[in-house]
Amino acid sequence: MKLWGGRFETGPSEIFERFSNSLHFDRRLLDADIRGSQAFARSLTRAGVLTEAECATILEAFDSIRADAADASFFNGATDEDVHSFVIGKLGERVGALAGKIHTGRSRNEQVSLDTRLWLRDECDNSRSLLKGLMQSLLDLAAKYPNAVIPGYTHLRRAQPVLWPHYLLAYFEMFARDYERFGEARRRTNVMPLGSGALAGSGFPHDREAIARDLGFAEVTRNSMDVSADRDFALDYLYAASVAMIHLSRLAEDWILYSSEEFGWIELGDGVTSGSSLMPQKKNPDSLELIRGKSGRVLGALNSLLFTMKGLPMTYNRDMQEDKEPLFEAADQVNGCLEMAAIVADSVVLKESVPFAAADESWVVATDLAEALARNGTPFHSAHQIVGRLVLESVRAGKTPGDWNAGSLAAFAPEFTPDVARLLDPREGMKTREITGGTGPETVSAALAAARLRLANL
Ligand code: ARG
C-alpha cells in the first residue's frame, strides 16, 4: 500500500524502492503500530470522524492483522515502503474503502515517533528487569563468599586488600545507576506524540490526553515540530545501554583475567565456556569475551544515531529512518548480554585461597602499616617513607609480610610498635576501614544487606 502518489506521474524506480524501503526491519514495530492505530481510531471516533460502527470494524480488523502477523510468512512478498504502509494495506484488504479513513489528519512522522516510543518503553522495562536479575546474581555470588579476601588493584597492580563482596558491590552500584538511567530513558520515551500531524499539529479535534491515557503514556508532547524532529529519547536509551555495556564489558574483562591460569581465582561453569577444536585442554571464557565484544556494537549504535541526527534541519528528514536498526541492535545486544552475564555470575566458583594468597604474599598491607604509624603519631609522609623502605628491603631479600614479626619490625624502625605487627595479615587492616563505602567487614556486610533491600524495592 502506497500512502502517497497523486502528485507523481510515474512511480519510484525499483532501485530507489529497494534502497529506501524499511519494512524488512521496521516490521518489528508492527504490534506497536497496531496498538497506536487502534488508539488513533478511537480518538477519531471521539472526534466525530469515524462512527462507532466503523471504529469497531477497524479495531477488529487490526486485531486480526496482529494475530496473522504472528506467522512470519504474513510478510512474504510484501513490497510496502514501511510497516505503517504495510499495516494500512492489510487493513484495506479487510475493511475496504473504510481503511482510507484511518490516516485522517495523521502523518507517519508522528506515527513513527509513537510506534518507536511504544516499542522502546517495553524495551526499557525489559532492560531494567534483566538488570535486576544480574544484580541479584551478583548479590548471591557475594553472599556465597562473605569473608573472602582479594587484592584490589589499581593500574592492574596489587593495591590494597578488599573483601570479595566489596568488589562485587562496586558492580552492583554501577548496575543500580544503569537501572536509573534506563528509567530516565523510559520517562522521556513515555510521552504521547499523536495529534502532532506532520509537523504543524493535527487539523482534527483530538483529545490528546485521552489518547495518552488509552496507551498508558504519562504525558503528551508539547510541540508538534519537536515531535517530528526529535529522537533524543532514543539517544537516551542508547546512552543508557552503552554505559551498561561498558560496565558489563569491564566485568567480563575482570572475570576473563580472574579465571585465567595466571590468576586462577575463579572457575567458570562448563555451561558458559567453550573448548578448542584443536587444543584438548582448553576451557575458554567465550561468553564473557562475547559480552566484551558486543559492547562495541552498542557503543557503535549510539554513535551511529548521534551522527545521523547531527546537523539535520527542522523537522522530519528521511535520515531519521536510520534510527531503528541501531536501536533494535542495541536493545538486542544489551538485553542478551545482561541475561548472559547473570548466568555466568551464577556459575562462578571462587577459589578463596588463591586470591587470599595473592594478597598475603604481596605488599597490599603496606598502606595499613603506614596508616598505623600515622595513627601512632608519625607524620604520614615519614610513615610512608619507612614502610616504603621496609617494602624495598623485603623485595630485595625476597621477604613477604609473613616473614616479619613485631620484633623484626621494631628492629627495622622504632616507629613499629608491637601493636602494628598484626597488620601484616591482610584481614586486619580492613578492620580499620569501617567507614561508609569502605571495605571494613561490618560495613560490607551492612552494605550487602542494604543492597538486598534496595534491589527488593526496585
Ligand atoms: N519509515 C519512516 C521512518 O522510519 C516513517 C516516516 C516516513 N515519513 C515520511 N515523510 N517519509 O522515519
Side-chain angles (χ1 to χ4, degrees):
M1 168 77 188
K2 201 166 264 339
L3 298 176
W4 45 269
R7 187 239 176 276
F8 293 80
E9 290 180 4
T10 67
S13 85
E14 208 183 298
I15 288 175
F16 171 59
E17 269 195 327
R18 226 183 311 124
F19 179 72
S20 60
N21 286 6
S22 55
L23 181 64
H24 59 285
F25 58 84
D26 67 16
R27 57 188 258 188
R28 194 160 167 176
L29 296 177
L30 182 128
D31 185 72
D33 197 75
I34 289 177
R35 270 191 283 160
S37 292
Q38 288 181 320
F40 193 65
R42 286 188 283 267
S43 186
L44 284 175
T45 309
R46 285 192 294 271
V49 175
L50 294 175
T51 67
E52 294 285 347
E54 286 173 330
C55 181
T57 305
I58 285 175
L59 295 184
E60 202 183 312
F62 275 135
D63 281 338
S64 76
I65 295 169
R66 179 191 284 117
D68 290 350
D71 187 342
S73 67
F74 190 53
F75 294 92
N76 286 356
T79 55
D80 304 80
E81 183 180 319
D82 54 24
V83 66
H84 324 296
S85 317
F86 175 80
V87 167
I88 292 179
K90 291 292 172 190
L91 185 69
E93 288 170 14
R94 278 149 221 241
V95 306
L98 179 55
K101 288 194 178 181
I102 184 62
H103 211 58
T104 307
R106 185 173 65 168
S107 164
R108 281 180 295 161
N109 297 350
E110 56 183 334
Q111 192 179 0
V112 73
S113 171
L114 177 82
D115 293 3
T116 307
R117 287 168 188 271
L118 281 171
W119 177 85
L120 189 57
R121 191 173 64 179
D122 290 344
E123 251 1 91
C124 290
D125 292 340
N126 279 343
S127 302
R128 293 180 104 198
S129 98
L130 289 163
L131 264 170
K132 281 207 270 185
L134 174 58
M135 289 158 79
Q136 183 62 55
S137 294
L138 292 177
L139 294 186
D140 292 346
L141 182 55
K144 278 182 204 161
Y145 310 98
N147 306 313
V149 174
I150 63 170
Y153 293 81
T154 63
H155 313 265
L156 200 55
R157 301 293 186 271
R158 293 176 196 171
Q160 289 186 271
V162 293
L163 285 170
W164 170 252
H166 192 56
Y167 160 75
L168 291 176
L169 282 168
Y171 279 108
F172 180 91
E173 294 299 334
M174 295 178 206
F175 292 126
R177 288 193 296 276
D178 290 329
Y179 186 88
E180 286 175 13
R181 266 183 286 272
F182 281 115
E184 283 292 300
R186 188 191 196 283
R187 189 173 64 73
R188 296 216 181 79
T189 297
N190 195 22
V191 187
M192 207 292 297
L194 283 189
S196 299
L199 76 164
S202 176
F204 294 83
H206 288 285
D207 179 346
R208 300 189 61 219
E209 269 76 17
I211 305 176
R213 278 194 300 279
D214 189 345
L215 290 168
F217 281 100
E219 49 189 325
V220 300
T221 55
R222 294 189 184 83
N223 183 291
S224 59
M225 294 181 80
D226 175 40
V227 166
S228 291
D230 128 84
R231 289 294 181 267
D232 59 1
F233 64 93
L235 288 171
D236 285 344
Y237 178 83
L238 290 172
Y239 175 69
S242 293
V243 179
M245 285 305 305
I246 288 173
H247 293 150
L248 284 165
S249 179
R250 295 184 67 180
L251 180 69
E253 169 68 10
D254 274 2
W255 291 3
I256 290 166
L257 286 173
Y258 297 170
S259 63
S260 67
E261 287 94 340
E262 279 65 23
F263 277 75
W265 298 8
I266 63 176
E267 177 84 25
L268 302 170
D270 285 2
V272 297
T273 46
S274 312
S276 157
S277 58
L278 178 63
M279 300 167 282
Q281 86 283 10
K282 290 300 288 293
K283 182 176 175 188
N284 295 324
D286 295 30
S287 52
L288 293 169
E289 292 167 284
L290 283 168
I291 289 172
R292 191 177 56 189
K294 286 167 188 288
S295 65
R297 293 168 68 167
V298 177
L299 271 54
L302 169 62
N303 281 285
S304 169
L305 187 56
L306 284 169
F307 289 124
T308 295
M309 296 308 294
K310 178 193 169 299
L312 293 186
M314 289 283 267
T315 53
Y316 179 83
N317 301 271
R318 190 68 178 271
D319 315 45
M320 291 158 72
Q321 179 171 294
E322 300 297 320
D323 64 348
K324 275 163 225 70
E325 284 168 296
L327 201 52
F328 296 160
E329 158 91 343
D332 289 345
Q333 297 310 331
V334 75
N335 290 344
C337 290
L338 287 168
E339 186 182 24
M340 186 74 255
I343 292 166
V344 174
D346 292 340
S347 86
V348 165
V349 173
L350 179 71
K351 296 177 232 159
E352 287 189 63
S353 62
V354 183
F356 181 79
D360 201 38
E361 76 196 14
S362 60
W363 280 93
V364 293
V365 294
T367 307
D368 298 334
L369 295 173
E371 288 183 357
L373 298 191
R375 269 192 293 276
N376 286 349
T378 307
F380 185 74
H381 181 68
S382 310
H384 192 288
Q385 290 290 114
I386 293 166
V387 176
R389 278 196 291 109
L390 178 74
V391 172
L392 180 62
E393 158 104 8
S394 302
V395 168
R396 279 194 185 136
K399 284 185 181 168
T400 68
D403 296 321
W404 293 87
N405 57 37
S408 55
L409 280 181
F412 182 84
E415 288 83 353
F416 283 117
T417 49
D419 57 305
V420 176
R422 79 185 160 79
L423 294 170
L424 292 165
D425 180 340
R427 280 170 298 222
E428 287 300 313
M430 289 195 300
K431 295 179 188 162
T432 65
R433 308 195 183 283
E434 297 290 6
I435 184 167
T436 304
T439 195
E442 282 172 31
T443 304
V444 171
S445 111
L448 199 51
R452 240 180 247 119
L453 207 62
R454 283 160 62 198
L455 183 56
N457 289 326
L458 284 183

